[in-house]
Amino acid sequence: MMQDGTDTMRERVADIRRRIALACQRAGRDIATVRLIAVTKTHDAATVADVLAAGVTDVGENRVQEADAKIAALAAHQPAAVWHLIGHLQRNKARRAALLFTTIHSIDSVDLAAAVARHAAAAGRTLDILLQVNVSGEASKEGFDLQHWHDEPARLAAFLGAARSIASLTGTRIIGMMTIAPLNADPEAARPVFRSLRSLRDVVRSQAPEICWDELSMGMTDDFEIAIEEGATMVRIGRALFGARPAPHGGG
Ligand SMILES: *Cc1c(COP(=O)(O)O)cnc(C)c1O
């Protein structure tokens, strides 16, 4: 029998789930604490439908405009998807994002959070948000700047101040933090980055226990197993499910 796209997708999803389970086993973690987010950027709505049919419930997109069309195309799809925005969000797209997504991983300022919250609240919604942080020392990365946070109490204090302001907004609810490890041929190079986010989480949880810090969104195709070993609760996986993406044409 020939395989159609759905069967192939089922196998890929099963393979990723096996790898997630093995990483959980190594770390002594319950597999139910790790959520697989299928990153469908650049892929069409039919591909999203395939991955939903294969039992994945969470879908990640990195551009509002691209997601908008897919979310519309799949509005009546069963089972319904939970849509995550994982890419950088521009202020002028905050309103649309607040209406489209369930969860936004890329909140990197109080202003952006306030814009999203205002639009979400106006629509009677409450969005789950994660604060994107840069712990890696790579200057180009987006997110709250928490490089060397361990040695720079002022940086940590500024972040906690921002988090408290964001936590006071109506329309959004902080559920944790997200980071992107620098690109590196060796996935082990990401381990200290993931470990740093985990230990930052423990510190902010002790200093701001009124905020929910449960979720750690970290780990992609090349390094998700390491991220799970270091405490990831959400892994964002594109290429391992859908193959290589076409090269981007600039923009962000
Ligand atoms: C594209 C993307 C991913 C998925 O990357 P893969 O290497 O394809 O698994 C994860 N997170 C973010 C923020 C992305 O933009």
Side-chain angles (χ1 to χ4, degrees):
M1 191 178 96
M2 255 180 60
Q3 287 188 330
D4 66 16
T6 308
D7 284 342
T8 309
M9 189 65 79
R10 279 186 191 284
E11 284 166 15
R12 288 183 186 179
V13 169
D15 181 56
I16 296 295
R17 294 227 184 266
R18 265 192 299 275
R19 291 170 62 187
I20 290 173
L22 286 170
C24 282
Q25 211 171 58
R26 284 195 295 277
R29 297 185 54 194
D30 180 347
I31 189 174
T33 63
V34 178
R35 198 188 315 195
L36 167 60
I37 299 174
V39 177
T40 51
K41 65 189 186 198
T42 75
H43 300 290
D44 61 11
T47 306
V48 182
D50 280 350
V51 81
L52 295 173
V56 172
T57 53
D58 292 80
V59 176
E61 286 281 335
N62 71 336
R63 292 183 188 210
V64 175
Q65 207 171 329
E66 184 185 334
D68 206 337
K70 283 180 229 182
I71 292 171
L74 291 161
H77 191 275
Q78 289 298 329
V82 177
W83 293 90
H84 299 251
L85 179 64
I86 60 172
H88 179 65
L89 175 59
Q90 292 168 322
R91 275 282 292 282
N92 63 3
K93 303 222 169 84
R95 181 179 167 276
R96 200 68 199 135
L99 300 179
L100 289 171
F101 293 95
T102 302
T103 307
I104 298 181
H105 294 230
S106 47
I107 296 296
D108 59 4
S109 72
V110 176
D111 282 355
L112 180 63
V116 169
R118 181 160 49 83
H119 293 299
R125 307 191 76 203
T126 301
L127 262 67
D128 288 339
I129 56 170
L130 293 92
L131 306 184
Q132 182 174 352
V133 302
N134 174 12
V135 291
S136 72
E138 200 172 80
S140 64
K141 282 280 188 292
E142 282 138 5
F144 288 95
D145 183 359
L146 283 155
Q147 300 169 57
H148 315 296
W149 63 269
H150 220 275
D151 305 316
E152 297 189 24
R155 205 165 270 193
L156 183 60
F159 175 66
L160 280 167
R164 289 194 177 98
S165 299
I166 294 170
S168 74
L169 299 167
T170 300
T172 51
R173 169 174 54 216
I174 297 174
I175 60 169
M177 292 184 289
M178 177 271 229
T179 202
I180 303 174
L183 279 179
N184 195 297
D186 177 11
E188 275 296 331
R191 188 182 296 276
V193 175
F194 298 147
R195 193 168 285 177
S196 178
L197 187 65
R198 164 73 178 273
S199 95
L200 173 65
R201 195 274 299 277
D202 295 343
V203 169
V204 294
R205 177 179 271 166
S206 72
Q207 298 197 11
E210 71 280 10
I211 298 174
C212 170
W213 299 104
D214 289 349
E215 304 289 344
L216 291 177
S217 170
M218 57 188 197
M220 311 178 9
T221 288
D222 293 328
D223 53 25
F224 72 90
E225 288 141 308
I226 291 168
I228 290 168
E229 289 170 18
E230 298 300 332
T233 64
M234 294 175 162
V235 290
R236 312 177 304 263
I237 298 181
R239 288 169 300 133
L241 288 168
F242 306 111
R245 284 178 296 272
H249 308 278

